[in-house]
């Protein structure tokens, strides 16, 4: 079973558990990146759904990655962060939220391992997959 996210900021975010039928994991390592420091954009894609970004920064001294969308075409869209943990470049854990709640996902710790990678996308709804025209490349 794929793990999905943690500690939703509101009950509305739980709807994102529908993302590929994933389960909601309500514990670390997912954290809110709202107070991250030293932030930068690792990957970016401009699409008809908005500017999709993988953002990186430090939360309590630990580097994390998260997804963000700017200039979203529709506030009912979803922004998603997919995280590959084993190097096969298929997501193993993911966080998904409706842009009307906020324009960024929770953050997941980065790793020096080449197996860990991050990808961001914008979807029309929680059940839609991340299509190449609306997602970043892996970082």
């Amino acid at each position: 079973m794929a793990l999905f996210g943690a500690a939703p900021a509101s009950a509305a975010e739980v709807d994102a558990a529908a993302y590929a039928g994933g389960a909601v994991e309500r514990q670390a390592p997912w954290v809110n990146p709202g107070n991250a420091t030293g932030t930068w954009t690792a990957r970016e894609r401009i699409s008809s759904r908005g500017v999709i970004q993988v953002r990186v920064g430090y939360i309590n001294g630990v580097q994390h990655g998260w997804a963000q969308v700017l200039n979203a075409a529709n506030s009912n869209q979803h922004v998603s962060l997919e995280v590959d943990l084993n190097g096969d470049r298929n997501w193993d854990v993911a966080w998904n939220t409706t842009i009307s709640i906020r324009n960024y996902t929770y953050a997941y710790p980065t790793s020096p391992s080449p197996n860990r990678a991050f990808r961001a996308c914008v979807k029309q709804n929680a059940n839609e997959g991340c299509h190449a025209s609306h997602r970043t490349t892996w970082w």
Side-chain angles (χ1 to χ4, degrees):
M1 177 185 301
L3 298 179
F4 169 69
S10 71
E13 284 188 292
V14 175
D15 72 340
Y19 185 70
V24 176
E25 178 189 329
R26 297 177 183 267
Q27 56 192 345
W30 294 97
V31 295
N32 187 336
N35 294 320
T37 60
T39 61
W40 56 284
T41 302
R43 293 284 185 267
E44 182 175 276
R45 178 179 207 93
I46 299 171
S47 84
S48 61
R49 295 181 182 176
V51 179
I52 307 154
Q53 299 176 326
V54 172
R55 299 281 294 160
V56 180
Y58 291 87
I59 303 166
N60 297 324
V62 177
Q63 189 180 64
H64 286 73
W66 64 94
Q68 175 175 283
V69 63
L70 305 173
N71 303 318
N74 179 333
S75 66
N76 292 322
Q77 295 176 141
H78 293 247
V79 59
S80 297
L81 177 69
E82 297 180 331
V83 182
D84 175 16
L85 300 176
N86 61 15
D88 66 0
R89 295 311 179 253
N90 290 301
W91 70 271
D92 297 302
V93 294
W95 189 277
N96 183 63
T97 191
T98 306
I99 294 169
S100 63
I101 293 172
R102 66 169 176 253
N103 70 330
Y104 60 90
T105 65
Y106 267 48
Y108 198 88
T110 63
S111 169
S113 169
N115 290 335
R116 176 99 30 112
F118 297 78
R119 179 169 71 181
C121 74
V122 175
K123 305 181 301 179
Q124 288 299 98
N125 58 65
N127 295 319
E128 179 183 50
C130 287
H131 299 290
S133 59
H134 305 294
R135 71 178 180 222
T136 66
T137 57
W138 288 102
W139 173 79

